[in-house]
């Protein structure tokens, strides 16, 4: 079997573990996910995203009782009877589908926020294109190859992959399907993928799935075994699984609930992963048979919403039982909504805006926005008008939950700035840090942070780390507690390596402690001219070494198997070149290898998949 045919024939569940090499190590070079990892160390916060595939009918989920006449005119053959709509506290305008009793209770108990009518200008009605827009965070006419959680500034860290923001813990885990475009970086997908419970049990036990003995399965087993034996994250996930526990019994026959129980167990076991993505197993693409014609409160849509409601409720109770309820928040999303007017097949067709649910103890228990404005008599062309851009929702999550600065958000939403929505409860801070920057020059680091409206701050403590995990105190700066903007500066000349991580610890007079974001600074004189990438990855019988700066001289390349044995080597002379292409001998078998590149005294290595 040819290499390309072998990869194309591989079962779907194996692809997330194989595409672009070792996904867990690859994610460590992603600046945005690195920032999220650092913030997870600082505040321990976790985001759980639940994807509803197919396009959810928002008007049948969050029911606008104050627009009930318009709804009756537009969709009488699927509309929920008003007396069966679940009532929400402090509003008579909005209720929930009768299958969502658990989510009704969560909202009424103050741990759920509903954001109305989320979309974007000129929305697409194609599943593929609409999902691509939501997952990448692009404009309607913009095509991005990276996701909003995997956006890359195209910067790598010295000594990668030895240096990781949270050790060997994966920065993102996806459960229930292939790795999403949401976590796609410029070189690899950042998500460590767990396709299902069976797969989870297999690798937490330390054993890859057992396959029957055939030439095809022998090759596939080799690749799987290579992944199991070499991925450092497997060990930390195994340890977290063994140490973790679930404090509640999850509903049976509910795959979404089962997958969320895996998330809770890993959190309980101490995994520092800040991002989890879980897919609802049911399709929300309800063109036909959306409801039971004899009882609109039942049917396919009711079943899917019921599974969602039960799963989220059990997960939130589990978080409380394991003591993690204050540092985990969840959100739902889908690629688009459905049309205002129903069709003749007791269903709804592709539409625009959707409601999004946020849950957790730190959300603002309210409805963000108002009921959609609907025409008195809707036609098949009428759509729900947008109230909020989905990128504004994403920006709110990153700013208010993960505490990224506006400057850091520019790596996600280039040339676009969004104000925060009132999704989270934001306690007033005794100080606002407007900026935290640094500069490495002439063997000395200078750190600057700008504050506004200081009150009752005792001091600032500058902390430094060699690995982004363990921080040491470098010095103190007394707080002036001025009511206007003020710039603080700190100098560090005790530099022993070519890069350091910095943060500032903010100590209030009451004893409360907070931290700034983490700043990575490098000695430009040392870093310049040594960065190299292997493109593409996976590779066929050739690859290109792509250098950051032009190189001159001999470039030596070696390919090693996982035991360290050399299987191929090559050498070329570069003359002020950025890129050199090497061809691999045909006798090298498909598999996972290490490629070493040497340029003068500089040597770099990375794992690749040869297919």
């Amino acid at each position: 079997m040819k290499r390309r045919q072998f990869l194309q024939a591989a079962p779907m569940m194996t692809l997330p573990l194989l595409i672009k090499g070792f996904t867990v190590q690859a994610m460590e070079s992603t600046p945005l996910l690195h920032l999220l990892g650092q913030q997870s160390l600082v505040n321990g916060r976790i985001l759980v995203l639940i994807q509803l595939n197919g396009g959810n009918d928002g008007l049948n989920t969050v029911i606008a009782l104050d627009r009930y006449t318009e709804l009756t005119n537009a969709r009488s053959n699927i509309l929920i009877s008003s007396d069966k709509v679940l009532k929400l506290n402090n509003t008579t305008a909005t209720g929930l589908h009768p299958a969502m009793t658990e989510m009704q209770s969560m909202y009424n108990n103050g741990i759920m926020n509903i954001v109305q009518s989320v979309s974007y200008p000129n929305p697409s009605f194609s599943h593929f294109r609409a999902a691509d827009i939501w997952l990448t965070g692009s404009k309607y006419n913009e095509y991005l190859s990276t996701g909003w959680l995997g956006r890359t500034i195209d910067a790598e860290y010295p000594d990668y992959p030895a240096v990781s923001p949270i050790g060997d813990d994966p920065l993102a885990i996806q459960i229930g399907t292939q790795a999403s475009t949401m976590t796609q970086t410029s070189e690899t997908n950042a998500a460590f993928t767990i396709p299902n419970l069976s797969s989870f049990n297999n690798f937490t036990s330390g054993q890859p799935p057992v396959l029957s003995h055939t030439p095809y399965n022998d090759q596939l087993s080799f690749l799987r075994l290579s992944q199991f034996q070499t991925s450092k994250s497997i060990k930390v996930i195994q340890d977290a699984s063994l140490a973790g526990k679930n404090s509640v019994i999850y509903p049976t026959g509910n795959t979404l609930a089962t997958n969320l129980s895996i998330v809770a167990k890993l959190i309980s076991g101490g995994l520092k992963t800040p991002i989890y993505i879980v897919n609802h197993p049911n399709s929300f693409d309800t063109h036909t048979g959306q409801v039971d014609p004899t009882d609109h409160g039942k049917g396919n849509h009711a079943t899917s919403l019921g599974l969602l409601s039960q799963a989220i409720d059990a997960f939130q109770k589990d978080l409380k039982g394991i003591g993690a309820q204050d540092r985990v928040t969840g959100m739902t999303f889908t690629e688009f909504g459905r049309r205002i007017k129903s069709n003749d097949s007791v269903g709804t067709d592709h539409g625009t805006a959707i409601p999004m649910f946020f849950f957790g103890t730190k959300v603002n228990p309210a409805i963000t926005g108002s009921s959609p404005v609907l025409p008195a008599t809707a036609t098949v062309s009428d759509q729900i008008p947008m109230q909020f851009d989905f990128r504004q929702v994403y920006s709110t999550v990153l700013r208010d939950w993960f505490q990224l600065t506006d400057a850091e958000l520019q790596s996600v939403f280039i040339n676009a700035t969004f104000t925060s929505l009132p999704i989270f409860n934001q306690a007033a801070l005794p100080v606002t840090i407007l900026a935290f920057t640094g500069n490495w020059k002439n063997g000395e680091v200078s750190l600057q942070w700008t504050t506004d409206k200081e009150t009752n701050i005792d001091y600032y403590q500058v902390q430094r780390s060699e690995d982004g995990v363990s921080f040491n105190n470098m010095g103190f700066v007394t707080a002036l507690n001025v009511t206007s903007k003020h710039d603080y500066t700190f100098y560090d000349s005790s530099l022993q390596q070519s890069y350091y991580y910095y943060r500032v610890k903010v100590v209030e007079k009451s004893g409360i402690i907070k931290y700034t974001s983490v700043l990575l600074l490098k000695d430009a004189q040392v870093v310049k001219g040594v960065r190299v990438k292997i493109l593409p990855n996976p590779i066929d019988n050739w690859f290109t070494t792509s250098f950051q700066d032009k190189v001159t001289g001999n470039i030596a390349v070696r390919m090693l198997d996982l035991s360290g044995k050399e299987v191929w080597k090559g050498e070329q002379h570069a003359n002020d070149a950025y890129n050199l292409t090497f061809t691999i001998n045909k006798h090298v078998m498909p598999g996972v290898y290490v490629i070493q590149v040497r340029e003068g005294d500089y040597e770099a290595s990375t794992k690749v998949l040869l297919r």
Side-chain angles (χ1 to χ4, degrees):
M1 180 178 289
K2 295 182 179 179
R3 291 168 178 162
R4 184 177 301 277
Q5 291 173 331
F6 171 70
L7 259 292
Q8 290 174 342
M12 184 177 296
M13 65 169 288
T14 69
L15 292 180
L17 299 177
L18 299 175
I19 288 180
K20 298 292 184 183
F22 282 78
T23 59
V24 176
Q25 293 183 349
M27 78 177 69
E28 294 162 2
S29 65
T30 307
L32 175 59
L33 287 178
H34 177 84
L35 290 169
L36 297 184
Q38 291 290 0
Q39 292 305 84
S40 179
L41 286 177
V42 171
N43 54 38
R45 289 184 173 179
I46 295 169
L47 175 66
V48 179
L49 302 100
I50 301 175
Q51 183 171 0
L52 314 180
N53 298 294
N56 181 41
D57 183 6
L59 292 178
N60 199 47
T61 304
V62 180
I63 301 171
L65 294 171
D66 57 345
R67 309 276 192 247
Y68 201 78
T69 299
E70 293 92 324
L71 289 173
T72 301
N73 293 336
R75 46 172 55 204
S76 60
N77 62 337
I78 64 169
L79 185 62
I80 303 294
S81 174
S82 60
D83 62 326
K84 294 183 178 180
V85 174
L86 301 178
K87 304 300 188 293
L88 299 176
N89 287 349
N90 303 316
T91 180
T92 59
T94 306
L96 295 180
H97 189 286
M100 304 171 70
T101 54
E102 296 83 5
M103 291 175 69
Q104 175 201 29
S105 177
M106 292 176 68
Y107 180 91
N108 290 340
N109 287 326
I111 54 175
M112 181 164 286
N113 181 284
I114 303 171
V115 184
Q116 292 272 34
S117 305
V118 183
S119 186
Y120 54 92
N122 300 303
S124 171
F125 300 124
S126 159
H127 284 293
F128 180 82
R129 177 58 186 150
D132 181 64
I133 291 171
W134 273 82
L135 295 174
T136 62
S138 69
K139 299 175 183 177
Y140 78 95
N141 59 350
E142 182 180 30
Y143 291 84
L144 301 177
S145 60
T146 57
W148 72 279
L149 283 176
R151 194 82 74 237
T152 282
I153 309 173
D154 200 23
E156 295 180 354
Y157 303 106
D159 296 335
Y160 165 81
V163 177
S164 169
I166 52 175
D168 294 332
D169 298 53
L171 284 172
I173 290 179
Q174 177 137 3
I175 302 177
T177 187
Q178 296 188 64
S180 167
T181 312
M182 186 187 303
T183 49
Q184 181 70 38
T185 74
S186 63
E187 296 183 11
T188 187
N189 198 293
F192 187 96
T193 305
I194 302 172
N196 49 49
L197 179 62
S198 175
S199 177
F200 176 73
N201 290 336
N202 280 329
F203 73 70
T204 53
S205 67
Q207 296 294 326
V210 177
L211 301 177
S212 58
H213 182 67
T214 67
Y216 166 84
N217 282 344
D218 287 347
Q219 295 184 66
L220 182 56
S221 295
F222 168 77
L223 292 179
R224 285 179 170 177
L225 183 60
S226 298
Q227 166 69 22
F228 277 72
Q229 292 176 338
T230 58
S231 175
K232 296 178 181 179
S233 290
I234 289 291
K235 181 63 167 62
V236 295
I237 293 175
Q238 288 174 344
D239 292 344
S241 177
L242 291 173
K245 63 179 182 179
N246 295 116
S247 63
V248 302
I249 298 175
Y250 282 76
T252 59
N254 187 329
T255 302
L256 178 62
T258 299
N259 291 341
L260 286 173
S261 74
I262 295 175
V263 175
K265 188 175 184 181
L266 294 176
I267 293 172
S268 171
L271 203 67
K272 296 189 288 290
T273 297
I275 299 290
Y276 292 88
I277 306 165
V278 183
N279 289 76
H280 196 303
N282 288 21
S283 173
F284 284 78
D285 196 19
T286 51
H287 290 282
T288 62
Q290 178 171 319
V291 304
D292 184 333
T294 62
D295 185 348
H296 296 175
K298 298 179 180 180
N300 293 331
H301 195 227
T303 299
S304 297
L305 292 177
L307 294 173
L308 175 70
S309 180
Q310 295 162 21
I312 288 178
D313 178 63
F315 179 64
Q316 186 63 39
K317 289 176 179 176
D318 199 0
L319 292 175
K320 183 177 181 180
I322 63 178
Q325 71 274 19
D326 290 339
R327 61 188 186 92
V328 181
T329 196
M331 62 175 274
T332 67
F333 74 99
T334 186
E335 65 261 39
F336 46 56
R338 318 298 291 188
R339 294 181 186 266
I340 299 172
K341 186 174 178 60
S342 60
N343 59 37
D344 294 334
S345 300
V346 197
T348 48
D349 299 320
H350 298 178
T352 55
I354 62 167
M356 296 179 69
F357 295 92
F358 286 81
F359 59 92
T361 60
K362 298 302 182 181
V363 303
N364 176 28
I367 296 176
T368 301
S370 58
S371 295
V373 176
L374 306 177
T377 305
T379 68
V380 294
S381 300
D382 287 319
Q383 299 287 355
I384 300 171
M386 179 187 78
Q387 294 185 51
F388 306 108
D389 192 303
F390 76 106
R391 292 170 298 167
Q392 185 178 15
V393 177
Y394 290 171
S395 181
T396 299
V397 172
L398 295 177
R399 180 187 291 111
D400 294 345
W401 183 245
F402 281 117
Q403 300 176 332
L404 268 65
T405 66
D406 287 341
E408 291 163 346
L409 287 174
Q410 288 300 307
S411 65
V412 189
F413 308 108
I414 301 172
N415 298 323
T417 302
F418 301 95
T419 58
S420 287
L421 296 173
I423 296 174
F424 299 97
N425 280 322
Q426 298 296 313
L429 298 177
V431 61
T432 299
I433 297 182
L434 301 177
F436 176 42
T437 59
N439 184 46
W440 189 310
K441 187 176 182 180
N442 297 327
E444 184 177 61
V445 165
S446 61
L447 300 171
Q448 302 84 32
W449 60 98
T450 303
T451 64
D452 192 18
K453 301 177 181 178
E454 292 175 289
T455 55
N456 297 316
I457 300 299
D458 193 2
Y459 60 88
Y460 300 98
Q461 185 178 65
V462 177
Q463 298 185 333
R464 188 181 78 182
S465 171
E466 296 182 358
D467 58 7
V469 178
S470 301
F471 284 83
N472 297 315
N473 298 328
M474 301 304 297
F476 299 86
V477 177
T478 303
L480 299 180
N481 287 301
V482 294
T483 57
S484 58
K485 291 182 181 179
H486 183 75
D487 295 325
Y488 290 93
T489 302
F490 181 88
Y491 295 96
D492 179 17
S493 57
S494 60
L495 309 176
Q496 302 296 323
Q497 63 181 46
S498 59
Y499 63 93
Y500 286 104
Y501 300 87
Y502 290 92
R503 71 184 184 189
V504 175
K505 179 180 178 181
V506 183
V507 182
E508 301 177 21
K509 291 183 177 180
S510 63
I512 295 176
I513 295 172
K514 295 181 176 64
Y515 295 89
T516 66
S517 58
V518 175
L519 189 65
L520 173 62
L521 295 178
K522 312 177 218 180
D523 185 348
Q525 292 182 349
V526 175
V527 176
K528 183 178 179 181
V530 302
R531 193 173 70 180
V532 62
K533 295 180 181 179
I534 302 297
L535 302 173
N537 188 5
I539 62 178
D540 286 301
N541 64 335
W542 64 271
F543 64 88
T544 297
T545 56
S546 179
F547 291 87
Q548 177 186 14
D549 299 292
K550 289 183 178 180
V551 292
T552 299
N554 290 332
I555 307 299
V557 178
R558 301 171 67 214
M559 177 177 282
L560 310 175
D561 64 19
L562 297 180
S563 68
K565 178 182 177 182
E566 181 181 289
V567 299
W568 172 85
K569 66 179 179 180
E571 185 172 335
Q572 289 191 41
H573 183 80
N575 186 16
D576 286 339
Y578 286 104
N579 304 299
L580 294 173
T581 298
F582 293 84
T583 301
I584 303 170
N585 294 339
K586 294 182 179 180
H587 72 269
V588 181
M589 296 296 294
V592 180
Y593 295 92
V594 174
I595 289 184
Q596 294 180 345
V597 180
R598 179 179 292 276
E599 179 235 345
D601 295 330
Y602 169 69
E603 182 178 292
S605 62
T606 187
K607 288 187 177 72
V608 298
L609 174 65
L610 176 66
R611 58 188 180 183

